[in-house]
Amino acid sequence: MTELKSSALKTAPAAAAATSPALLGRALDGGKQALLPLLLGAAAVLLWQGAVSLFSVPPFVLPGPFAITAGFVENRANIASASLVTGTNALVGLVAGGLIGVLAAVVAAFLPSFDRLAGPTVAALSVVPIVAAAPVLYTMFGAGEEAPRQIVAGIAVFVPVYVNSLRGFRQVLPVHRDLMRSYAAGRWQVTRAVTLPSAVPYMFTGLRIASSLAVISALIAEYFGGPVGGLGKSITSAAAGSNYTLAWAYVLGAVVVGLLFFCATAALEKYSSRH
């Protein structure tokens, strides 16, 4: 017993020493992957600021990033409030459009007749211009409702989620289904054990694409009416008042919201792939 304990004590430091260089190498690689985009972004910002200062570009053409950042900090409360309005509409559209897209893809995967019927509709939805749909929806639901913005975001989300999810459901090899059936697996068991795991990466690919589209669609829909308070309305109001630096500060807020949505869907995808 004592010999086993001594051998375990001897092998433990050796295992730790063997794994520590690998862990250190992974940490360094992760640091490099995070550092390079930051350096590229910093270089782009400095180049932008240098060009604005060197050529004396007027603010109504393009303000410098330092001025935009200062305007962002000074008006952070208003930008946060507007971002919350736009982000909420985008989130509702992302969740609703994503769920409907996945459910429709499931039905289309198992019912080819539904797929043939839904194909032209999805193609038509993919080319619906937001500038035309938003005013019509405001007329239908009322100018004081947020629902038109959420519907516009949901339509923009539905198409990529549906297309990518349906492709994922069709990627399952027939030999895998035949193997499950040879084990007397039912249709739901085949779907749960084979079809869904194969389609999950495609679903999240559609969601990652749709996350940015949801923010953009909700933002653009604000230009054509509805309640005051979102990022789109704030950008147009600041630009109409010739406060272009503030308008760009609101644009920076929209960029932050879009990045948060994209990072959230990417983190959710990574979590699901591990489990």
Side-chain angles (χ1 to χ4, degrees):
M1 187 71 179
T2 55
E3 292 179 357
L4 290 174
K5 289 182 178 180
S6 60
S7 62
L9 291 173
K10 290 178 182 179
T11 55
T19 56
S20 57
L23 293 175
L24 181 60
R26 290 178 184 175
L28 291 175
D29 291 339
K32 289 179 181 178
Q33 291 178 359
L35 183 61
L36 290 176
L38 291 176
L39 290 176
L40 180 61
V45 168
L46 292 176
L47 184 63
W48 177 1
Q49 182 65 41
V52 169
S53 301
L54 180 62
F55 297 104
S56 300
V57 180
F60 67 87
V61 176
L62 182 65
F66 293 168
I68 295 173
T69 304
F72 182 89
V73 173
E74 291 175 4
N75 298 274
R76 58 187 178 275
N78 294 331
I79 295 174
S81 177
S83 299
L84 183 62
V85 173
T86 302
T88 301
N89 291 329
L91 181 61
V92 172
L94 180 63
V95 174
L99 288 176
I100 296 173
V102 171
L103 291 176
V106 171
V107 176
F110 289 100
L111 297 175
S113 58
F114 176 83
D115 182 24
R116 289 191 293 270
L117 291 173
T121 304
V122 175
L125 287 175
S126 65
V127 295
V128 170
I130 299 174
V131 295
V136 174
L137 291 172
Y138 282 127
T139 304
M140 293 170 58
F141 289 90
E145 298 294 329
E146 298 284 359
R149 301 171 180 177
Q150 297 166 0
I151 293 173
V152 167
I155 292 173
V157 168
F158 170 80
V159 175
V161 172
Y162 173 82
V163 172
N164 283 276
S165 299
L166 182 58
R167 183 179 180 183
F169 287 126
R170 290 173 172 170
Q171 292 300 310
V172 180
L173 296 176
V175 65
H176 294 163
R177 288 194 177 121
D178 294 340
L179 179 62
M180 292 294 294
R181 287 167 184 164
S182 68
Y183 289 124
R187 193 167 186 176
W188 166 243
Q189 290 176 316
V190 174
T191 302
R192 181 172 57 84
V194 177
T195 307
L196 284 177
S198 300
V200 165
Y202 292 88
M203 292 181 191
F204 279 106
T205 298
L207 278 176
R208 273 193 285 111
I209 298 171
S211 62
S212 300
L213 291 176
V215 177
I216 294 171
S217 302
L219 183 76
I220 295 176
E222 294 174 357
Y223 283 87
F224 303 98
V228 178
L231 288 170
K233 283 288 188 181
S234 301
I235 292 170
T236 54
S237 299
S242 300
N243 194 345
Y244 301 103
T245 301
L246 180 59
W248 277 96
Y250 280 110
V251 172
L252 179 59
V255 171
V256 172
V257 173
L259 286 175
L260 288 176
F261 270 65
F262 183 85
C263 292
T265 52
L268 188 61
E269 179 183 10
K270 192 171 183 180
Y271 175 81
S272 67
S273 63
R274 290 180 177 178
H275 295 78

